[in-house]
Amino acid sequence: MDRTLVICKPDAVERGLVGEIIGRFERKGLRIVAAELRALDRDVLARHYAEHVGKGFYDDLVAFMSRGPVLVAVVEGPEDTWSVVRQMMGATNPMNASAGTIRGDFGTMVTENLVHGSDSVESARREAAIFFPDLQQE
Ligand code: DAT
Ligand code: MG
C-alpha cells in the first residue's frame, strides 16, 4: 500500500466542502488512515511548505493556511497514491484546473484552492511525518 498527505484547507472547512473532498477520495477507492481537524501555526507551516519559504506569495500563504482550522489526513491506495490525489485535485490555479477535479469544480482563486496533496513519494513521506509522527509506517 502507498500513502500520501491531504489537507482540506481553511476555505474548504469554511465552505463545508470537507465531506465532498474526502468523499471523492473514498469513492475513488482510497482509504483514510489518519485524519484530524487542526489549527496550523507559522512553525508547522514553515516545515510543511519549506520549499516555498521566502517566495513572494509565502506570507499570504501562511496567513491563509492559519486563518482557521484545516482537516489534515493521510490517505492510502494500492500505488502512486500521491499521483492519484494530485490528478483528482487539479491544477494549482483553479482557473486552469479541469472540470471534474476538486479545484476545477469548486475553486476560482490560486490563493484559496481548497486542498493540498503531496507532490511525490518523498514529499508524501516527509509531510505525513510532520503531521502524524506516531503513525505506523505502512
Ligand atoms: P500545489 O498546492 O498545487 O502543490 P505549490 O506547491 O506550487 O502548489 O504551491 C503551494 C500553494 O501556494 C498553492 O496551493 C497555492 C499557493 N501558491 C502557489 N503559487 C502561487 C502564486 N503564484 N500566487 C499565490 N499563491 C500561490
Ligand atoms: Mg505543492
Side-chain angles (χ1 to χ4, degrees):
M1 297 302 276
D2 186 66
R3 294 174 176 177
T4 194
L5 185 86
V6 168
I7 303 177
C8 298
K9 297 183 178 184
D11 55 337
V13 176
E14 290 160 9
R15 293 172 61 193
L17 291 171
V18 170
E20 169 71 36
I21 293 168
I22 295 298
R24 285 182 178 216
F25 295 136
E26 289 189 316
R27 294 198 297 277
K28 177 72 172 171
L30 306 179
R31 196 170 70 91
I32 311 302
V33 296
E36 191 175 34
L37 202 66
R38 286 198 200 163
L40 306 185
D41 64 22
R42 273 198 90 80
D43 291 346
V44 76
L45 285 165
R47 288 181 66 201
H48 173 66
Y49 280 130
E51 84 255 39
H52 297 310
V53 173
K55 289 185 183 173
F57 60 81
Y58 183 72
D59 287 347
D60 288 342
L61 177 61
V62 170
F64 164 59
M65 289 296 292
S66 59
R67 85 173 179 209
V70 300
L71 191 285
V72 194
V74 175
V75 305
E76 184 177 82
E79 60 182 322
D80 296 334
T81 308
W82 72 269
S83 178
V84 173
V85 165
R86 293 284 296 193
Q87 286 179 44
M88 293 176 70
M89 287 164 49
T92 300
N93 187 337
M95 297 302 274
N96 303 327
S98 302
T101 66
I102 294 162
R103 288 163 168 173
D105 287 350
F106 302 115
T108 56
M109 290 180 287
V110 67
T111 47
E112 305 202 6
N113 60 7
L114 297 149
V115 63
H116 168 85
S118 310
D119 65 5
S120 66
V121 172
E122 297 73 30
S123 297
R125 283 190 184 279
R126 187 185 74 82
E127 294 171 3
I130 292 172
F131 293 98
F132 297 100
D134 299 329
L135 189 64
Q136 259 189 303
Q137 295 287 319
E138 68 268 47

